């Protein structure tokens, strides 16, 4: 079983890296937002510092959205998903593996460059570890919920528009708790409560989303 | 007896029987709604004394609170129907779950609008980014997402099943709305009406509120049946039972 999953991740990563440009798109997008905000609202350090948690998180959220539509679509169209159904492994585990590669491709780069983005927006240094931690806990939730929405819209012909409508209310709690934690840390308060709630969301999403995604994939393949 | 109930329940699963049965039930529901709403509104607007702090502006409560409750209850009802859809694939349940979404969205919108109008004189602002207001707004967008997802499918039965999965995902939001005023200290007041223990509301205000609450439940039932009949007839427009009824009604009328 392990070998099948590793092969699946390897295939997804290989495809993403050979396409090159697509892997870098989320990062370009993140930096476009980070650069445009100071130009839009003015380079005042205090203002930017108070906006920083929200801006970085919204940029991370939107860049997670970018790669979502293609998550299952090409496999749906060329029939690979039907092979998933026929394979001896549970569909939920295969779907979770696909979502994990989505997180590697869109989540990890954002986490790696987030200290740089934080510097550009003058986020106080003591809030930086909390920002990275909140991204570590939060971006997997984005990939999971986004994957669920992608599997739901698979059978429709205007998938990408529907996708952003479906995903946005689901992302709200993640955004609230993550930015709450970072802002609390920037103000010198304890971010523990928000980080705890974020971890709870992650556990909940990790256990339930693969099952929901598998159900949605199965319905769309009927 | 039990056998009779079971047979009656299964009969309701037949589109033609359901169409006829709900058609006979609907006028009674509308009469009940009209009576309850008229009596409740009369009491709320003319009989109950004004609030010592808010004056007359609090009277919008008699629309605001019942529609807020109904917005959440519609979601719970819709979730039960979604489970029935996914597990037993009963077609009437599918249709009832799907037509519940626009009704629930309408109640949510009424709740948000009346809340905004009430907020201006009492809080001094139409909108606040308070936990309950925000979670209610999220509920509205979940309702819209369900409607959009259902509409995006060519095959409506498939759309109903996929949207049912989304309904169950969105169910997470309901306890958040319900407990938001207790978990976070925010602008919206805590619950003043309790089923168990003493309510912190004046007893004279409770009676019209009960009438209005029952009236909204009846309104939901009436709208649900009406929309289900239309959707059912539309989906089955080429089937014999609809043709018979349409032909029958034109022959008679």
């Amino acid at each position: 079983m392990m070998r099948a999953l590793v092969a699946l991740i390897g295939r997804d990563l290989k495809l993403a890296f050979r396409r090159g440009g697509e892997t870098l798109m989320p990062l370009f997008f993140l930096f476009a937002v980070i650069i445009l905000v100071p130009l839009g609202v003015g380079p005042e350090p205090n203002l930017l510092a108070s906006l920083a948690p929200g801006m970085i998180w919204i940029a991370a959220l939107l860049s997670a959205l970018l790669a979502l539509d293609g998550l299952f679509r090409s496999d749906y169209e060329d029939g690979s998903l039907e092979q998933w159904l026929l394979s001896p492994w549970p569909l939920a585990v295969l779907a979770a593996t696909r979502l994990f590669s989505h997180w590697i491709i869109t989540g990890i780069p954002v986490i790696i460059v987030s200290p740089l983005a934080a510097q550009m927006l003058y986020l106080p240094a003591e809030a930086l570890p909390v920002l990275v931690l909140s991204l570590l806990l939060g971006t997997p939730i984005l990939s999971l919920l986004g994957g669920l929405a992608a599997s739901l819209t698979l059978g429709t012909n205007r998938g990408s528009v529907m996708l952003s409508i479906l995903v946005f209310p689901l992302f709200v709690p993640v955004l609230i708790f993550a930015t709450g934690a970072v802002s609390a840390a920037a103000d010198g308060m304890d971010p523990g409560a928000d980080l705890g709630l974020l971890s709870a969301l992650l556990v909940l999403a990790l256990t339930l989303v693969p099952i929901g995604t598998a159900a949605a994939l199965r319905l769309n393949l009927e | 007896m039990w056998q009779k109930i079971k047979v009656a329940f299964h009969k309701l699963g037949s589109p033609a029987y359901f169409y006829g049965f709900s058609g006979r039930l609907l006028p009674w529901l509308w009469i009940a709604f009209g009576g309850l709403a008229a009596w409740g509104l009369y009491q709320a607007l003319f009989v109950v004394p004004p609030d010592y702090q808010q004056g007359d502006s609090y009277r919008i409560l008699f629309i605001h609170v019942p529609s807020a409750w109904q917005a959440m209850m519609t979601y719970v009802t819709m979730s039960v129907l979604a489970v029935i859809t996914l597990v037993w694939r009963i077609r009437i349940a599918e249709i009832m779950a799907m037509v519940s979404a626009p009704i629930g969205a309408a109640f949510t919108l009424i709740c948000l609008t009346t809340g905004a109008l009430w907020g201006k004189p009492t809080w001094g602002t139409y909108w606040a980014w308070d936990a309950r207001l925000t979670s209610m707004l999220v509920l509205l967008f979940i309702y819209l997402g369900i409607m959009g997802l259902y509409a995006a499918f060519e095959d409506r039965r498939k759309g109903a099943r996929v949207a049912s999965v989304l309904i169950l995902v969105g169910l997470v939001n309901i306890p958040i709305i319900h407990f938001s005023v207790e978990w976070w200290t925010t602008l919206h007041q805590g619950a003043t009406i309790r089923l168990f223990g003493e309510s912190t509301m004046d007893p004279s205000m409770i009676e019209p509120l009960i009438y209005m609450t029952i009236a909204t439940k009846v309104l939901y039932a009436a709208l649900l049946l009406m929309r289900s009949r239309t959707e059912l007839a539309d989906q089955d427009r080429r089937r014999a039972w609809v043709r018979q009824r349409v032909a029958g009604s034109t022959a008679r009328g």
Side-chain angles (χ1 to χ4, degrees):
Chain A
M1 173 130 170
M2 232 24 232
R3 264 182 56 209
L5 300 186
V6 170
L8 191 60
I9 294 176
R11 171 191 170 273
D12 289 345
L13 294 185
K14 210 181 274 171
L15 273 175
F17 284 116
R18 298 247 164 104
R19 277 194 226 123
E22 258 175 63
T23 336
L24 290 175
M25 266 309 280
L27 277 187
F28 278 128
F29 194 80
L30 179 81
F31 273 104
V33 175
I34 301 298
I35 291 166
L36 287 176
V37 168
L39 298 179
V41 301
E44 223 274 295
N46 284 333
L47 179 66
L48 286 179
S50 66
L51 286 178
M55 286 326 301
I56 295 171
W57 255 97
I58 288 173
L61 207 140
L62 292 175
S63 52
L65 209 60
L66 274 184
L68 275 184
D69 190 41
L71 202 54
F72 294 108
R73 190 161 295 277
S74 65
D75 283 351
Y76 175 65
E77 276 159 7
D78 69 13
S80 307
L81 277 188
E82 275 150 34
Q83 300 304 314
W84 281 23
L85 267 188
L86 296 174
S87 84
W89 317 119
L91 189 57
V93 176
L94 294 175
T97 315
R98 169 58 54 85
L99 300 181
F100 181 62
S101 3
H102 177 263
W103 178 68
I104 295 179
I105 296 162
T106 62
I108 289 185
V110 170
I111 297 171
I112 292 173
V113 300
S114 64
L116 185 60
Q119 275 305 306
M120 290 168 75
L121 294 176
Y122 307 105
L123 186 77
E126 59 270 22
L128 185 58
V130 179
L131 174 72
V132 175
L133 190 58
S134 78
L135 283 168
L136 260 175
L137 291 171
T139 45
I141 311 179
L142 299 184
S143 292
L144 284 163
L145 292 177
L148 179 64
S151 64
L152 285 171
T153 55
L154 205 53
T156 67
N157 34 19
R158 10 176 192 154
S160 55
V161 184
M162 271 318 300
L163 191 63
S164 33
I165 298 172
L166 290 192
V167 137
F168 133 78
L170 300 179
F171 279 1
V172 168
V174 184
L175 184 67
I176 291 175
F177 294 133
T179 52
V182 183
S183 300
D187 295 340
M189 285 187 294
D190 180 24
D194 285 310
L195 285 177
L197 284 167
L198 201 58
S199 324
L201 277 181
L202 176 60
V203 173
L204 197 68
L206 262 179
T207 41
L208 295 181
V209 165
I211 301 170
T213 311
L217 287 177
R218 213 167 264 137
L219 285 175
N220 271 306
L221 286 169
E222 267 174 12
Chain B
M1 182 65 196
W2 178 235
Q3 195 58 32
K4 258 190 186 158
I5 297 174
K6 251 164 72 179
V7 170
F9 179 75
H10 283 287
K11 260 187 177 169
L12 276 177
S14 137
Y17 184 80
F18 175 84
Y19 192 86
F21 174 78
S22 55
R24 283 197 303 281
L25 198 61
L26 261 176
W28 297 107
L29 287 174
W30 282 119
I31 291 169
F33 167 68
L36 283 164
W39 180 242
L41 279 177
Y42 166 73
Q43 292 240 314
L45 294 179
F46 299 106
V47 178
V48 179
D51 187 78
Y52 82 102
Q53 225 175 3
Q54 300 182 22
D56 280 326
S57 73
Y58 85 94
R59 290 182 200 273
I60 203 165
L61 163 146
F62 297 108
I63 305 280
H64 178 73
V65 174
S67 55
W69 283 341
Q70 192 53 45
M72 287 193 276
M73 208 192 108
T74 304
Y75 202 96
V76 176
T77 315
M78 194 168 75
S79 307
V80 174
L81 290 166
V83 172
I84 298 174
T85 300
L86 289 173
V87 178
W88 292 286
R89 307 207 161 179
I90 296 174
R91 182 147 165 264
I92 304 288
E94 263 169 37
I95 288 172
M96 278 164 79
M98 289 307 115
V99 300
S100 283
I103 305 172
F107 278 120
T108 313
L109 201 60
I110 292 172
C111 168
L112 286 170
T113 325
T114 53
L117 292 175
W118 194 11
K120 190 64 184 170
T122 46
W123 297 343
T125 172
Y126 287 115
W127 181 258
W129 289 101
D130 148 296
R132 174 156 284 184
L133 275 66
T134 311
S135 50
M136 211 61 195
L137 188 66
V138 168
L139 180 67
L140 178 66
F141 281 103
I142 293 178
Y143 272 129
L144 295 180
I146 293 164
M147 287 158 66
L149 188 61
Y150 174 55
F153 278 85
E154 291 270 317
D155 177 355
R156 290 201 221 176
R157 295 207 63 181
K158 193 168 162 184
R161 285 199 288 271
V162 174
S164 293
V165 177
L166 179 64
I167 292 174
L168 296 181
V169 172
L171 188 59
V172 181
N173 192 32
I174 294 296
I176 297 181
I177 300 177
H178 186 78
F179 293 111
S180 59
V181 282
E182 289 170 29
W183 290 346
W184 291 284
T185 38
T186 49
L187 193 55
H188 196 288
Q189 62 176 348
T192 48
I193 300 147
R194 292 196 180 82
L195 225 47
F196 309 102
E198 199 153 329
S199 299
T200 50
M201 191 186 215
D202 194 76
S204 71
M205 297 176 185
I206 293 200
E207 201 194 309
L209 188 61
I210 292 174
Y211 279 111
M212 289 305 288
T213 306
I214 301 173
T216 38
K217 306 266 176 280
V218 177
L219 176 63
Y220 168 67
L223 289 173
L224 178 69
L225 289 186
M226 229 169 84
R227 292 191 79 106
S228 305
R229 298 180 78 207
T230 320
E231 175 81 17
L232 197 58
D234 185 34
Q235 282 188 15
D236 282 0
R237 59 189 176 278
R238 291 184 217 296
R239 298 265 177 85
W241 70 268
V242 174
R243 293 187 161 206
Q244 261 168 22
R245 264 153 220 270
V246 172
S249 65
T250 46
R252 256 186 273 132

